[in-house]
Amino acid sequence: MDETSRTRGVVHAYVDSAERRDWAAFAALLADDVVYEMPQTRERIRGKTAYLQFNTDYPGDWHLKVRHVVADGRHAAAWLDARVGDDSQDACAWFELSAEGLISRVTDFWPEPYDPPAGREHLVERW
């Protein structure tokens, strides 16, 4: 298996293990010094232990599903469908893997939906 395929597989396994709440499998994918960042809230979590606790303690009945993964070498981007109850939100996560194939960095973007500015209705199709 080439490096890009391995990276894509690790990202799918990351989302799948989180969705199943299989925290042992999830932890096995992480480097000990993993760094997790959320730019919107300017939060950073350092280390596997803290990141694992962050996920196991996260409130609510949330669910994740991969919509699409693009990988290049040890880097990947994932478009995710995140759901809590009836609420659905698109998210984008960027991954970096170590030479050993473990996740060393995750940057999560959780954009809130908003209405577009007026004046471009003739150019766009809303869905």
Side-chain angles (χ1 to χ4, degrees):
M1 175 183 303
D2 70 1
E3 189 173 58
T4 296
S5 296
R6 180 178 69 169
T7 298
R8 188 177 297 108
V10 168
V11 171
H12 277 277
Y14 170 93
V15 174
D16 181 58
S17 60
E19 171 61 25
R20 291 182 291 113
R21 309 314 193 254
D22 183 346
W23 301 121
F26 185 85
L29 299 168
L30 304 174
D32 288 339
D33 60 349
V34 64
V35 175
Y36 175 78
E37 293 181 328
M38 292 180 289
Q40 283 82 359
T41 59
R42 298 181 57 185
E43 293 175 284
R44 180 178 296 127
I45 299 169
R46 292 184 186 273
K48 182 191 293 194
T49 301
Y51 187 44
L52 189 58
Q53 183 174 353
F54 172 81
N55 280 280
T56 59
D57 292 351
Y58 204 87
D61 183 27
W62 53 268
H63 298 279
L64 295 175
K65 183 172 98 175
V66 172
R67 289 184 184 267
H68 192 67
V69 174
V70 177
D72 183 18
R74 294 190 325 228
H75 296 88
W79 175 13
L80 304 173
D81 175 27
R83 296 180 182 271
V84 177
D86 292 334
D87 294 330
S88 177
Q89 187 174 39
D90 288 319
C92 182
W94 297 86
F95 295 85
E96 293 179 29
L97 273 62
S98 68
E100 297 77 28
L102 298 173
I103 297 170
S104 59
R105 179 175 289 274
V106 181
T107 305
D108 248 339
F109 293 91
W110 295 88
E112 292 290 330
Y114 63 93
D115 287 325
R120 59 184 184 201
E121 297 84 2
H122 64 289
L123 300 173
V124 303
E125 174 185 325
R126 300 286 308 274
W127 78 90

